Amino acid sequence: ISAVKAGALGFKDKRRPIATLMFSGPTGCGKTETAKALARSLGWAEPIIINLSRITKIEHLSTLIGAPSGYGSHGENVENYLTTKVIKNPRSVVLFDEADKALNTYFYSEKKSLIDILLPIFEDGRLEDRIGQVADFSRCIVIIGSNGGINEVFDPRIGAFVPSDAIYIDITELMRAASNEEQELKYEQLKVRMAKQVGDYLLRKMRPEMLNRIDENIVFNPLPTDSLKAIARKKLDEFRLNMRSEHNARVEYESPKVEEAIINYLLYAHFSPKNGARSLDEPIKKHYAGPLYDFIMSSGNDREVIVGFDRNRLTFKIGAQIKRKDESVFVLTALEKYIVSTMSRELSQKSENEPILDEEIAEWLDPRPVAEPKNTLLVSFSGTARVVRARTNDFFSRGRKETLTPAKIK
């Protein structure tokens, strides 16, 4: 995102957030996931997410700056204030979700709208709460999430915008396109139409002083069929992995065509354009995870389960018995043994709450006698030498977020 790069390089007012972004698009197209991915890519904590559609009464401001004096919740749950969270994590991605539903929220006792309360963040990078705390947003990335403009069109007969499901009808037709060429053409037409609808909506509904503070407006298009299939496959794989780790049950398909048939069934029979990728969760639970879980529970653990698909229903067969592994025993390479023994020795010489420096970790992971494998990290737990593999970058990100100690590794 160019606005983030520019802000990080200092091409901005130093008081304002690194970048203020608008994420516009239909539900379930990846706006929240993109915010989370952005935070992970920067090595920051999980995003701070504020659902503005839930702030409809004055007491609901407790999630932002606290309730006014005179209200029962005044001065309570300070740790839940937005200001407190930003003070604790000054480098954060802050997502104000469902902003389109909060544009008209007005608090008469305050003589302010919700946008008036948030405007200092975008203008000056500061927000003061009810107890006098001042949060500095100059090192934050602020994202405004909106579904506005997606489900309304201009009706020339009455000269006004009216609710419409036209976009969702177009998405359904897109998925049913006869060829890839037809699908690509329809998708490009849909993208142009959505961009215009979102742009018109922002100009009509958003106050200029707010709109002018947005560095970049990013329109999220409906997820194409290939992306939806990939998401469905990932969800099915996660469930299979969970069955293996929790019940030692290996789930296999009769053939690759069976997996593809299950995914197509979930997608074309149960997908809802209005809810995007989120609409896959319920049918996966009902038609895949539920029946499979019941079969595994009735068949006993330590089994292989062969999954088939016939007449839009899953079929199951018992496969081979799976020998349960002793989880405390691992076959280690020479390099892995070297790293584990080094870490175990160094950790045993530290007290439980003594900080572990990044430099120490880097030295443990850079054994000179043997070449280091890429993207592999081994952490020794207390007791048996249990090995956990993880991405090196993820581990160091975790180390930066909080002080790492032997107690936390255990």
Side-chain angles (χ1 to χ4, degrees):
I1 300 173
S2 57
V4 174
K5 295 176 182 177
L9 291 173
F11 293 102
K12 69 176 187 72
D13 186 329
K14 291 183 179 180
R15 300 172 304 168
R16 293 177 57 196
I18 294 172
T20 301
L21 310 173
M22 171 70 82
F23 282 6
S24 301
T27 298
C29 64
K31 299 188 293 294
T32 303
E33 289 303 316
T34 301
K36 292 179 179 179
L38 176 60
R40 284 195 299 269
S41 70
L42 295 169
W44 294 358
E46 283 290 299
I48 300 170
I49 301 177
I50 305 293
N51 190 330
L52 295 182
S53 67
R54 297 177 182 172
I55 304 177
T56 57
K57 299 178 181 179
I58 193 72
E59 56 265 31
H60 296 163
L61 287 174
S62 57
T63 58
L64 292 175
I65 58 174
S69 58
Y71 284 79
S73 58
H74 174 70
E76 296 180 356
N77 300 318
V78 176
E79 66 279 1
N80 292 328
Y81 289 8
L82 171 62
T83 47
T84 303
K85 293 176 180 179
V86 171
I87 289 170
K88 287 183 177 179
N89 291 289
R91 291 188 180 275
S92 293
V93 172
V94 181
L95 171 60
F96 294 109
D97 207 6
E98 307 281 355
D100 53 299
K101 297 177 179 63
L103 292 176
N104 297 321
T105 303
Y106 191 86
F107 305 110
Y108 289 95
S109 61
E110 299 275 303
K111 297 182 180 179
K112 287 182 180 180
S113 68
L114 184 54
I115 299 303
D116 289 326
I117 293 171
L118 296 176
L119 206 54
I121 296 175
F122 311 117
E123 289 185 335
D124 304 316
R126 293 163 60 86
L127 184 65
E128 184 174 356
D129 62 27
R130 306 284 187 186
I131 61 174
Q133 295 183 124
V134 178
D136 179 6
F137 287 78
S138 63
R139 290 182 289 175
C140 293
I141 296 171
V142 176
I143 300 172
I144 305 165
S146 169
N147 303 328
I150 301 300
N151 56 352
E152 60 180 28
V153 295
F154 184 76
D155 188 341
R157 294 172 299 178
I158 60 175
F161 285 83
V162 295
S164 170
D165 287 339
I167 283 287
Y168 305 122
I169 295 171
D170 288 348
I171 295 172
T172 303
E173 291 179 355
L174 173 68
M175 294 179 64
R176 295 173 178 171
S179 64
N180 290 337
E181 292 78 11
E182 182 185 356
Q183 193 174 73
E184 289 177 7
L185 177 61
K186 286 180 177 292
Y187 192 63
E188 289 303 316
Q189 293 172 342
L190 183 61
K191 285 164 63 176
V192 172
R193 179 176 171 183
M194 280 187 55
K196 184 179 185 309
Q197 285 187 207
V198 168
D200 290 345
Y201 176 86
L202 294 178
L203 289 173
R204 284 186 294 110
K205 296 288 187 177
M206 189 162 284
R207 287 161 45 181
E209 60 267 38
M210 180 76 171
L211 195 58
N212 293 337
R213 298 298 184 274
I214 296 172
D215 297 309
E216 195 168 346
N217 178 30
I218 301 169
V219 179
F220 283 68
N221 300 300
L223 293 171
T225 306
D226 288 347
S227 297
L228 290 169
K229 287 184 177 181
I231 292 170
R233 181 174 285 106
K234 181 174 182 290
K235 290 177 181 292
L236 299 187
D237 287 345
E238 287 173 352
F239 180 77
R240 292 169 62 205
L241 287 172
N242 184 60
M243 288 293 97
R244 184 62 192 269
S245 61
E246 295 295 327
H247 303 285
N248 200 36
R250 184 169 64 236
V251 179
E252 301 291 349
Y253 297 108
E254 287 182 348
S255 70
K257 290 183 178 179
V258 168
E259 182 183 23
E260 192 67 24
I262 293 172
I263 290 171
N264 285 336
Y265 170 70
L266 293 170
L267 195 59
Y268 292 103
H270 299 282
F271 175 73
S272 166
K274 287 188 177 182
N275 295 316
R278 290 195 184 101
S279 66
L280 293 172
D281 291 338
E282 189 59 33
I284 286 175
K285 290 176 184 176
K286 181 178 180 180
H287 300 285
Y288 182 86
L292 184 52
Y293 179 84
D294 291 341
F295 181 81
I296 290 173
M297 291 299 98
S298 63
S299 305
N301 294 346
D302 308 336
R303 304 293 301 188
E304 181 182 54
V305 178
I306 310 299
V307 179
F309 192 70
D310 182 46
R311 298 177 185 178
N312 293 338
R313 294 187 65 181
L314 295 179
T315 62
F316 307 110
K317 291 189 295 187
I318 295 288
Q321 183 81 22
I322 300 173
K323 185 178 179 180
R324 183 175 289 273
K325 295 179 180 179
D326 181 355
E327 294 183 355
S328 64
V329 178
F330 288 80
V331 179
L332 304 180
T333 65
L335 171 62
E336 292 170 343
K337 289 179 181 177
Y338 181 89
I339 294 175
V340 169
S341 62
T342 300
M343 293 185 70
S344 298
R345 184 178 65 252
E346 296 294 334
L347 289 172
S348 66
Q349 296 174 3
K350 287 179 172 288
S351 64
E352 285 203 343
N353 295 315
E354 183 179 351
I356 300 173
L357 304 178
D358 282 354
E359 293 81 3
E360 292 179 295
I361 298 174
E363 186 177 343
W364 297 341
L365 297 177
D366 187 25
R368 301 299 176 186
V370 197
E372 180 180 352
K374 294 181 179 179
N375 297 327
T376 300
L377 172 65
L378 299 142
V379 180
S380 173
F381 280 65
S382 61
T384 59
R386 181 175 180 183
V387 179
V388 176
R389 300 174 184 271
R391 293 284 181 185
T392 306
N393 288 342
D394 290 346
F395 185 79
F396 280 111
S397 295
R398 191 163 64 247
R400 282 196 297 272
K401 280 185 281 186
E402 59 180 21
T403 303
L404 196 61
T405 65
K408 289 179 179 176
I409 289 184
K410 293 175 185 177

